[in-house]
Amino acid sequence: MKRVPIKEALTGVATGTEITVAGWVRTVRTSKGGFSFITLNDGSSLACIQVVADEQLPNYRSEVVHLSAGCSVAVTGQLVPSQGRGQTVELRASEVQVIGRADPERYPIQPKRHSFEFLRKQAHLRPRTNTFGAVARVRNTICAAIHEFFQSRGFLYVHTPIITPSDCEGAGQLFRVTTLEPGRGDEQEDFFGRRTNLTVSGQLELEAYACALGNVYSFGPTFRAENSNTPRHLAEFWMVEPEMAFCDLQGDAALAEEFLKSIFRAVLERCAEDMAFFNQRIDSTVIETLTGIVSSEFVHLSYTEAIEILQRAQRRWEYPPTWGAELQTEHERFLTEQSFKRPVIVTDFPASIKPFYMRLNDSPPPQGPTVAAMDVLVPKVGEIIGGSQREERLEVLTERMRGAGIDPEAYWWYLDLRRYGTVPHAGFGLGLERTVQFATGMANIRDVIPFPRTPRSAEF
Ligand code: ATP
Ligand code: MN
């Protein structure tokens, strides 16, 4: 059986010829006149093909009329112009092979609207729905666009380890990796002879490669034991991290802007059908927002300016904005959705709220020392990118580590990068799922990754 993707069949180029398609039944309508209309989807696109099967088929009474949502079938037939609304071609079946049945009494995905909460409990079957099929295709396009962006600019794709002894963010949101029985043995007896965890970021290791190969990036799974049940946090998510030698914060911000634009341009161009679906069913502003981003200049703002804007805003905050405190999601969203109505790059955050590896600024504002950090904020999602210029000065870096209570000895190799041929360098991390969320308008991050990992939830 040489199967034609339904997406290809629907272009109509093969009209008048015999083809075979295979997929899963969405709906079946049987007419009294001895016909059945079967809508079939194979995931190649949002659209289904209509199959017309008639009673001449040898298995018409025994099998075809009993088909229901979820059954898998392979259909061979003539592709003909269709009279029906919203479709140019349909398939006149000469053979319908029923491959797998799906008990209509028990198959959970019925042809009606299911809530996303319900579908999370059917994570193995939800890709058969319009929404989750479309999410998977957009996610795929974003991943391809990410690699194309970096590859076309000569960045090397580097694989950083998933099991690591380092704690990049220093926030204690680590998943331990151990083979010790709970409460038995100490770290020296553990598998690696030391404490290890799942990576929270590949940045430190990536810096080693940037400080040898110039422009590099990693793209892989990242783990954070964030016990926060929010629509924007997962315990396992995918992160893209470019790292550039001989680059400062400005160059970093410029890359971030170009990068986001190229991703969203790819989505608009290559996923038009899926995007029309999201715009109609999920968020009626999503295409307009993406189109706006592709053509608008991002706003650049220092953290200090951001705090002043927030303090001047006539608004009741859950967390009143004060210099020296983290920007909360309500602050981030206000800046990008209300103040500027486009993406905002906030730079130069107080050193006290940022990790040790971010470069200490030479001329800080009167409020206190700042670091060359940046967050890129977009409407609805808030922070989509976090990045910084890295501290390349050995003494300053060692001092910052001590100040953060980190033993510089534990990072001897990281300090070697400053001891031997140090260079200014910078990079950032883009959360893949936040990008998919933003591109699709999906409200909950659990609905843009196939099998979400969140507190108290790892069923699949
Ligand atoms: P936030 O403040 O939103 O929790 P963060 O400051 O901890 O994020 P970074 O350490 O800067 O995030 O990570 C880089 C990017 O990775 C973020 O901009 C975001 O897009 C993504 N990200 C971070 N944490 C998560 C998470 N738990 N789930 C999904 N994506 C995440
Ligand atoms: Mn961040």
Side-chain angles (χ1 to χ4, degrees), residues 52 71 106 141 147 248 250 266 284 372 424:
V52 186
C71 296
R106 307 182 65 173
T141 295
H147 282 297
D248 60 11
Q250 273 191 335
S284 64

Side-chain angles (χ1 to χ4, degrees), residues 54-72:
D54 71 26
E55 58 189 357
Q56 308 294 314
L57 294 168
N59 60 344
Y60 185 76
R61 298 259 165 247
S62 60
E63 288 192 309
V64 175
V65 298
H66 302 298
L67 285 174
S68 57
C71 296
S72 53

Side-chain angles (χ1 to χ4, degrees), residues 15 29 35 37 50-52 79-92:
T15 305
R29 190 160 51 84
F35 285 101
F37 299 96
Q50 171 155 285
V51 172
V52 186
L79 197 60
V80 299
S82 168
Q83 276 88 53
R85 255 189 328 124
Q87 62 201 16
T88 52
V89 288
E90 61 189 30
L91 195 61
R92 284 276 150 78

Side-chain angles (χ1 to χ4, degrees), residues 306-380:
I307 292 292
E308 283 162 11
I309 291 172
L310 295 168
Q311 286 174 338
R312 277 202 305 272
Q314 300 297 316
R315 241 183 99 114
R316 200 168 295 155
W317 301 104
E318 196 182 332
Y319 299 89
T322 46
W323 202 97
E326 298 270 8
L327 289 184
Q328 301 292 328
T329 302
E330 57 173 339
H331 305 142
E332 296 175 346
R333 293 188 57 171
F334 182 83
L335 291 169
T336 164
E337 291 169 22
Q338 311 286 324
S339 305
F340 298 103
K341 299 189 168 43
R342 51 196 165 120
V344 175
I345 306 183
V346 184
T347 59
D348 304 302
F349 288 73
S352 55
I353 56 170
K354 290 293 182 186
F356 68 86
Y357 53 75
M358 296 190 177
R359 192 180 194 280
L360 206 57
N361 282 324
D362 299 323
S363 40
Q367 289 92 332
T370 57
V371 288
M374 67 165 188
D375 277 1
V376 182
L377 314 178
V378 293
K380 299 204 181 100

Side-chain angles (χ1 to χ4, degrees), residues 263-337:
I263 291 174
F264 297 131
R265 204 177 296 124
V267 169
L268 288 167
E269 280 170 13
R270 300 183 210 167
C271 302
E273 189 185 36
D274 291 321
M275 288 309 299
F277 170 83
F278 287 119
N279 210 66
Q280 196 194 347
R281 297 289 285 272
I282 304 294
D283 173 356
S284 64
T285 63
V286 70
I287 290 183
E288 188 191 321
T289 308
L290 291 193
T291 313
I293 286 195
V294 167
S295 56
S296 74
E297 294 228 338
F298 291 15
V299 175
H300 288 245
L301 202 64
S302 73
Y303 167 89
T304 304
E305 290 166 325
I307 292 292
E308 283 162 11
I309 291 172
L310 295 168
Q311 286 174 338
R312 277 202 305 272
Q314 300 297 316
R315 241 183 99 114
R316 200 168 295 155
W317 301 104
E318 196 182 332
Y319 299 89
T322 46
W323 202 97
E326 298 270 8
L327 289 184
Q328 301 292 328
T329 302
E330 57 173 339
H331 305 142
E332 296 175 346
R333 293 188 57 171
F334 182 83
L335 291 169
T336 164
E337 291 169 22

Side-chain angles (χ1 to χ4, degrees), residues 169 224 226 233-234 237 239 383-386 429 431 434 445:
E169 297 299 304
R224 296 194 188 172
E226 327 227 26
H233 289 92
L234 291 164
F237 64 99
M239 186 146 70
E383 179 188 332
I384 195 166
I385 283 181
R434 296 216 187 148
I445 199 165

